[in-house]
Amino acid sequence: GDSVTQMEGPVTLSEEAFLTINCTYTATGYPSLFWYVQYPGEGLQLLLKATKADDKGSNKGFEATYRKETTSFHLEKGSVQVSDSAVYFCALRGYASGGSYIPTFGRGTSLIVHP
Amino acid sequence: DADVTQTPRNRITKTGKRIMLECSQTKGHDRMYWYRQDPGLGLQLIYYSFDVKDINKGEISDGYSVSRQAQAKFSLSLESAIPNQTALYFCATQDGRQETQYFGPGTRLLVL
């Protein structure tokens, strides 16, 4: 079945450091890929997405490129801020029977940014 | 006002009690989901519904039931709560023509 694997956290960085959170996936067909962010005490919200190979999703300084050859969708940011401290989830659109689809989430990676 | 609301936000209950968590949405989405979140395990899908007459089990449905009372309302029940159901529960909605999910703020449940 479909699956998403993320690097384990927490990832601890100083402000203005470069961020990479690795995400790889296993899926049938050609899934869409997502990064969601969960700030403390809140629900998840979409950060960015990519719907086909070589697409780059971007938002709030974060970027991720859909790499079909390596089945990866790594999240990057050039200069993190304290306000980026959150849990980040990689996800894909999977396929259920009957042609409908349900999302599959990774386990989440906690990011802690120190001043 | 929030598009996806969950009540209650926090709940403490005892083993064996029946409880209901409620989710309401004003986004007009046809699809609704219930997840639980445990530290280090990410999100696990409990149940999902693609319209009022469609209910489907997720990966961890045992011990839970749901009711889709209307397009805007999707309730999760724990018939007889047990301590390992202590978790953070999220409701999410989705437009069937789109891919993005929209999450509520969560309900933190503690079963003693």
Short mmCIF file of all heavy atoms in Angstrom, two decimals, chain A residues 38-64:
data_model
loop_
_atom_site.label_atom_id
_atom_site.label_comp_id
_atom_site.label_asym_id
_atom_site.label_seq_id
_atom_site.Cartn_x
_atom_site.Cartn_y
_atom_site.Cartn_z
N GLN A 38 1.89 21.99 11.37
CA GLN A 38 1.05 22.07 12.58
C GLN A 38 1.76 22.92 13.61
O GLN A 38 2.75 22.50 14.21
CB GLN A 38 0.79 20.67 13.13
CG GLN A 38 -0.11 20.66 14.36
CD GLN A 38 -0.29 19.27 14.95
OE1 GLN A 38 0.55 18.39 14.78
NE2 GLN A 38 -1.40 19.05 15.63
N TYR A 39 1.27 24.12 13.82
CA TYR A 39 1.82 25.00 14.85
C TYR A 39 1.29 24.58 16.21
O TYR A 39 0.21 23.96 16.31
CB TYR A 39 1.49 26.45 14.56
CG TYR A 39 2.09 26.95 13.27
CD1 TYR A 39 1.31 27.15 12.13
CD2 TYR A 39 3.46 27.20 13.17
CE1 TYR A 39 1.87 27.59 10.94
CE2 TYR A 39 4.02 27.62 11.98
CZ TYR A 39 3.22 27.81 10.87
OH TYR A 39 3.78 28.23 9.69
N PRO A 40 2.00 24.88 17.27
CA PRO A 40 1.58 24.43 18.61
C PRO A 40 0.14 24.79 18.92
O PRO A 40 -0.29 25.93 18.76
CB PRO A 40 2.56 25.18 19.52
CG PRO A 40 3.78 25.38 18.70
CD PRO A 40 3.27 25.63 17.30
N GLY A 41 -0.62 23.78 19.36
CA GLY A 41 -2.00 23.99 19.77
C GLY A 41 -2.99 24.15 18.63
O GLY A 41 -4.16 24.47 18.87
N GLU A 42 -2.55 23.90 17.39
CA GLU A 42 -3.44 24.09 16.26
C GLU A 42 -3.58 22.81 15.44
O GLU A 42 -2.83 21.85 15.61
CB GLU A 42 -2.92 25.21 15.36
CG GLU A 42 -2.84 26.56 16.07
CD GLU A 42 -2.37 27.65 15.13
OE1 GLU A 42 -2.28 27.41 13.91
OE2 GLU A 42 -2.08 28.76 15.63
N GLY A 43 -4.53 22.83 14.50
CA GLY A 43 -4.65 21.74 13.55
C GLY A 43 -3.66 21.92 12.40
O GLY A 43 -2.95 22.92 12.31
N LEU A 44 -3.61 20.93 11.54
CA LEU A 44 -2.70 20.99 10.40
C LEU A 44 -3.24 21.97 9.36
O LEU A 44 -4.45 22.14 9.20
CB LEU A 44 -2.58 19.61 9.73
CG LEU A 44 -1.70 18.57 10.40
CD1 LEU A 44 -2.30 18.05 11.68
CD2 LEU A 44 -1.42 17.42 9.43
N GLN A 45 -2.32 22.57 8.63
CA GLN A 45 -2.70 23.43 7.51
C GLN A 45 -1.74 23.19 6.37
O GLN A 45 -0.56 22.91 6.59
CB GLN A 45 -2.73 24.91 7.91
CG GLN A 45 -1.44 25.44 8.48
CD GLN A 45 -1.59 26.86 8.98
OE1 GLN A 45 -1.47 27.80 8.20
NE2 GLN A 45 -1.85 27.03 10.26
N LEU A 46 -2.26 23.31 5.17
CA LEU A 46 -1.44 23.06 3.99
C LEU A 46 -0.33 24.10 3.89
O LEU A 46 -0.57 25.31 3.98
CB LEU A 46 -2.29 23.12 2.72
CG LEU A 46 -1.54 22.86 1.43
CD1 LEU A 46 -1.08 21.41 1.36
CD2 LEU A 46 -2.42 23.20 0.22
N LEU A 47 0.90 23.63 3.67
CA LEU A 47 2.03 24.52 3.46
C LEU A 47 2.32 24.67 1.97
O LEU A 47 2.45 25.78 1.46
CB LEU A 47 3.26 24.00 4.20
CG LEU A 47 4.53 24.80 4.09
CD1 LEU A 47 4.35 26.22 4.63
CD2 LEU A 47 5.68 24.10 4.80
N LEU A 48 2.43 23.53 1.29
CA LEU A 48 2.65 23.57 -0.15
C LEU A 48 2.31 22.21 -0.74
O LEU A 48 2.19 21.22 -0.01
CB LEU A 48 4.10 23.96 -0.48
CG LEU A 48 5.23 23.18 0.17
CD1 LEU A 48 5.53 21.91 -0.61
CD2 LEU A 48 6.49 24.02 0.27
N LYS A 49 2.21 22.16 -2.07
CA LYS A 49 1.92 20.90 -2.72
C LYS A 49 2.49 20.90 -4.12
O LYS A 49 2.84 21.95 -4.67
CB LYS A 49 0.43 20.63 -2.76
CG LYS A 49 -0.35 21.52 -3.71
CD LYS A 49 -1.81 21.09 -3.73
CE LYS A 49 -2.61 21.89 -4.76
NZ LYS A 49 -4.05 21.48 -4.78
N ALA A 50 2.60 19.69 -4.69
CA ALA A 50 3.03 19.51 -6.07
C ALA A 50 2.24 18.35 -6.65
O ALA A 50 2.05 17.33 -5.99
CB ALA A 50 4.52 19.24 -6.16
N THR A 51 1.78 18.51 -7.88
CA THR A 51 0.86 17.51 -8.42
C THR A 51 1.47 16.62 -9.49
O THR A 51 0.86 15.62 -9.87
CB THR A 51 -0.39 18.20 -9.00
OG1 THR A 51 0.04 19.12 -10.01
CG2 THR A 51 -1.14 18.93 -7.92
N LYS A 52 2.65 16.94 -9.99
CA LYS A 52 3.27 16.07 -10.98
C LYS A 52 4.78 16.17 -10.89
O LYS A 52 5.34 17.11 -10.29
CB LYS A 52 2.78 16.39 -12.38
CG LYS A 52 3.09 17.78 -12.87
CD LYS A 52 2.50 17.98 -14.26
CE LYS A 52 2.90 19.30 -14.87
NZ LYS A 52 2.39 20.45 -14.11
N ALA A 53 5.44 15.21 -11.53
CA ALA A 53 6.90 15.11 -11.46
C ALA A 53 7.56 16.42 -11.90
O ALA A 53 7.13 17.06 -12.86
CB ALA A 53 7.38 13.95 -12.31
N ASP A 54 8.60 16.80 -11.16
CA ASP A 54 9.43 17.98 -11.39
C ASP A 54 8.75 19.29 -11.00
O ASP A 54 9.38 20.35 -11.10
CB ASP A 54 9.91 18.06 -12.84
CG ASP A 54 10.76 16.87 -13.23
OD1 ASP A 54 11.51 16.37 -12.37
OD2 ASP A 54 10.65 16.41 -14.37
N ASP A 55 7.50 19.24 -10.56
CA ASP A 55 6.85 20.44 -10.03
C ASP A 55 7.54 20.87 -8.75
O ASP A 55 7.98 20.04 -7.96
CB ASP A 55 5.38 20.16 -9.72
CG ASP A 55 4.47 20.46 -10.88
OD1 ASP A 55 4.98 20.85 -11.95
OD2 ASP A 55 3.25 20.30 -10.71
N LYS A 56 7.60 22.16 -8.52
CA LYS A 56 8.11 22.69 -7.26
C LYS A 56 6.98 23.44 -6.57
O LYS A 56 6.40 24.37 -7.14
CB LYS A 56 9.29 23.64 -7.50
CG LYS A 56 9.81 24.29 -6.22
CD LYS A 56 10.92 25.30 -6.49
CE LYS A 56 12.21 24.61 -6.84
NZ LYS A 56 13.34 25.58 -6.96
N GLY A 57 6.68 23.04 -5.36
CA GLY A 57 5.75 23.77 -4.53
C GLY A 57 6.50 24.74 -3.66
O GLY A 57 7.61 24.45 -3.21
N SER A 58 5.91 25.91 -3.40
CA SER A 58 6.59 26.89 -2.56
C SER A 58 5.57 27.75 -1.83
O SER A 58 4.48 28.02 -2.33
CB SER A 58 7.52 27.78 -3.39
OG SER A 58 6.78 28.49 -4.36
N ASN A 59 5.97 28.18 -0.62
CA ASN A 59 5.11 29.02 0.19
C ASN A 59 5.89 29.46 1.42
O ASN A 59 6.61 28.65 2.03
CB ASN A 59 3.86 28.25 0.63
CG ASN A 59 2.85 29.13 1.36
OD1 ASN A 59 2.81 30.34 1.18
ND2 ASN A 59 2.03 28.50 2.18
N LYS A 60 5.79 30.71 1.79
CA LYS A 60 6.42 31.25 3.01
C LYS A 60 7.91 30.98 3.07
O LYS A 60 8.48 30.81 4.15
CB LYS A 60 5.75 30.66 4.25
CG LYS A 60 4.28 30.96 4.38
CD LYS A 60 3.71 30.38 5.66
CE LYS A 60 2.22 30.68 5.78
NZ LYS A 60 1.65 30.11 7.03
N GLY A 61 8.58 30.91 1.94
CA GLY A 61 10.01 30.66 1.91
C GLY A 61 10.39 29.20 1.88
O GLY A 61 11.55 28.85 1.71
N PHE A 62 9.40 28.33 2.05
CA PHE A 62 9.64 26.89 1.97
C PHE A 62 9.47 26.42 0.53
O PHE A 62 8.65 26.94 -0.21
CB PHE A 62 8.64 26.13 2.86
CG PHE A 62 8.83 26.31 4.33
CD1 PHE A 62 8.21 27.36 5.00
CD2 PHE A 62 9.63 25.44 5.05
CE1 PHE A 62 8.38 27.53 6.37
CE2 PHE A 62 9.79 25.60 6.42
CZ PHE A 62 9.18 26.64 7.07
N GLU A 63 10.24 25.39 0.17
CA GLU A 63 10.14 24.80 -1.16
C GLU A 63 10.27 23.29 -1.07
O GLU A 63 10.93 22.77 -0.16
CB GLU A 63 11.27 25.31 -2.07
CG GLU A 63 11.22 26.77 -2.40
CD GLU A 63 12.34 27.16 -3.36
OE1 GLU A 63 13.35 26.43 -3.41
OE2 GLU A 63 12.21 28.19 -4.04
N ALA A 64 9.66 22.60 -2.03
CA ALA A 64 9.84 21.16 -2.16
C ALA A 64 9.63 20.81 -3.63
O ALA A 64 8.71 21.33 -4.26
CB ALA A 64 8.87 20.40 -1.28
#
